[in-house]
Amino acid sequence: MSIYERAQKATLLSRLAETPSWLIFVTGPRQSGKTTLVQQALNAVDRPCLYLAIDAPGPNIDPAFISRDATGAVIPIGQSALPVARQPNAEWLVRQWERARFEADRSDRGFVLVLDEIQKIPNWSETVKGLWDADRIASRPLHVVLLGSAPLLMQKGLTESLTGRFETIRLSHWSYSEMSAAFGFNLDQYIYFGGYPGAAPLIAEEERWRSYVLGALVSTSIERDVLALQRVDKPILMKRLFDMSAAYSGRELAYNKMLGQLQDAGNTTTLARYLDLMSRVGLVAGLTKYASQPVGRGSTPKLNVLNTALMSASSDYTFHEATADRTYWGRLVESAVGAHLFNTRGSRTGLYYWRDGSNEVDFVLARADRLAAIEVKSGKRRSTQTGFRKFENRFRKSGRAVSRIAVGENDIQLAEFLATPASDWLDSS
């Protein structure tokens, strides 16, 4: 099977075709394909390049990817100038950048420097800032691409030292369309097994698949991307909160109820912060209730995994058991819709839920004066018409354009909905 190419490759190639004006930051949760996408783009671009994987042991070169200079000769990238056990530091980074500058200055096509796992270098952002600013003064034709597997640490460095100097290319979890095209997933398989490409070959062995998702993805995301990089006073609590969020995905759960079920739970502010951290690394989100005015952190969140593999792997259901249980499958479908909306909504669009007594709307997309109320019908016995009418009557009075989107049964088919980015529903409403 040929290697699948995500749409963001074209975006990266477009940026590399421009005069370098900003650092290019490729971001996304673990196993969203950042490194693969960048290497695919470099193999396609007609320009010399230097690819550095900061965390590679020994000689720093990927045999499947060869960096080349302006003449087409291979650049020996290795870390042989440093002891193998020594972590690359700012001095090492400056030396590699100088090599890239030399190649850029002698090339009539410019040069591309890629720094993968850049967060492994202490004080990387301050060093990059000084080097990048000097290159801009010199009008050097050097593109620099940054990526790493620790989104919280990367974002901290970018916002603290590199404000105004970078553009972001965001990768989300893989969509249904992508998993179908790359791995032949049907809709039910995507709903249950989710959008992790590395786990896709394991779905025929469900216990092995489950162990991989929980061990290689969940534990790594929590321990390396959150606990190792942020002050978390109660790490066991965060892990328990993830387990609870996966079990209750698709449901509203008040913070005081969480406190009642979690031992050593601290307070609601702690839980809200931990949910925010986990959403930023692509695990789970706590959606807030939609209101005309901002709602504080104390409001009841609606929990939603950001990749349904996280819900399935954490449950006791096999694939066949899940599809046979109408209630559980309905929650899984609703979680898939919520994850899709969260992952594709764009930076200008908010995602919420709404409830007033027994009247509810599963999801609300909001941008400027436009609202889209989204109802997911799978596995539900209740009528959703009343909730939408109440929602529409309340918020249309304030001058907002309100549209209704029903997913499932005789309305918009689930496969069609999952193939359409969230922002498109607001644009077409």
Side-chain angles (χ1 to χ4, degrees), residues 134-148:
D135 286 344
R136 299 287 61 74
I137 293 173
S139 299
R140 182 168 282 112
L142 175 62
H143 284 92
V144 179
V145 181
L146 306 175
L147 60 159

Side-chain angles (χ1 to χ4, degrees), residues 113-378:
L113 172 63
V114 177
L115 298 166
D116 197 348
E117 299 291 355
I118 183 66
Q119 82 281 353
K120 299 290 181 69
I121 296 179
N123 302 315
W124 65 272
S125 57
E126 292 86 350
T127 305
V128 168
K129 175 180 180 294
L131 294 167
W132 179 256
D133 286 351
D135 286 344
R136 299 287 61 74
I137 293 173
S139 299
R140 182 168 282 112
L142 175 62
H143 284 92
V144 179
V145 181
L146 306 175
L147 60 159
S149 61
L152 296 180
L153 188 59
M154 291 288 292
Q155 195 62 49
K156 179 181 179 183
L158 290 166
T159 55
E160 289 182 355
S161 302
L162 297 171
T163 300
R165 294 173 173 85
F166 67 93
E167 278 191 305
T168 299
I169 298 177
R170 291 182 173 85
L171 276 69
S172 63
H173 290 292
W174 284 44
S175 68
Y176 167 54
S177 299
E178 291 174 315
M179 293 300 287
S180 176
F183 302 102
F185 273 28
N186 61 38
L187 183 59
D188 285 355
Q189 286 175 322
Y190 178 74
I191 296 299
Y192 182 88
F193 292 108
Y196 283 121
L202 305 177
I203 65 172
E205 303 175 72
E206 287 193 32
E207 285 307 309
R208 186 179 176 192
W209 169 83
R210 192 183 308 272
S211 296
Y212 178 83
V213 171
L214 295 179
L217 300 176
V218 175
S219 295
T220 300
S221 293
I222 292 177
E223 293 171 7
R224 295 186 186 177
D225 296 348
V226 180
L227 299 181
L229 305 173
Q230 294 283 320
R231 178 178 175 178
V232 175
D233 296 327
K234 300 176 183 293
I236 299 299
L237 171 62
M238 174 169 280
K239 294 176 181 178
R240 290 174 177 164
L241 180 59
F242 167 79
D243 292 339
M244 174 178 287
S245 300
Y248 282 86
S249 183
R251 298 180 183 177
E252 301 156 37
L253 190 63
Y255 284 116
N256 62 350
K257 290 187 178 180
M258 295 187 203
L259 291 171
Q261 295 189 41
L262 295 170
Q263 296 179 357
D264 191 26
N267 53 49
T268 59
T269 301
T270 298
L271 296 181
R273 175 173 176 264
Y274 287 2
L275 276 177
D276 177 63
L277 290 174
M278 287 193 288
S279 74
R280 289 162 63 188
V281 299
L283 292 177
V284 297
L287 305 181
T288 57
K289 177 182 174 181
Y290 182 77
S292 299
Q293 300 298 323
V295 179
R297 276 188 170 183
S299 64
T300 297
K302 179 176 182 176
L303 302 170
N304 208 111
V305 293
L306 300 181
N307 189 318
T308 49
L310 303 172
M311 181 176 174
S312 302
S314 301
S315 75
D316 295 328
Y317 282 87
T318 67
F319 173 64
H320 293 296
E321 290 168 345
T323 57
D325 186 323
R326 177 182 171 86
T327 300
Y328 180 78
W329 189 254
R331 286 183 47 230
L332 200 53
V333 168
E334 185 169 334
S335 295
V337 170
H340 173 74
L341 292 170
F342 188 96
N343 294 331
T344 65
R345 72 195 189 285
S347 59
R348 297 187 300 118
T349 301
L351 177 63
Y352 311 87
Y353 77 96
W354 181 78
R355 176 182 291 279
D356 182 11
S358 61
N359 299 306
E360 66 175 292
V361 170
D362 294 322
F363 300 103
V364 177
L365 290 172
R367 186 177 66 217
D369 61 347
R370 304 180 74 86
L371 298 173
I374 299 167
E375 303 157 8
V376 185
K377 294 185 175 181
S378 178

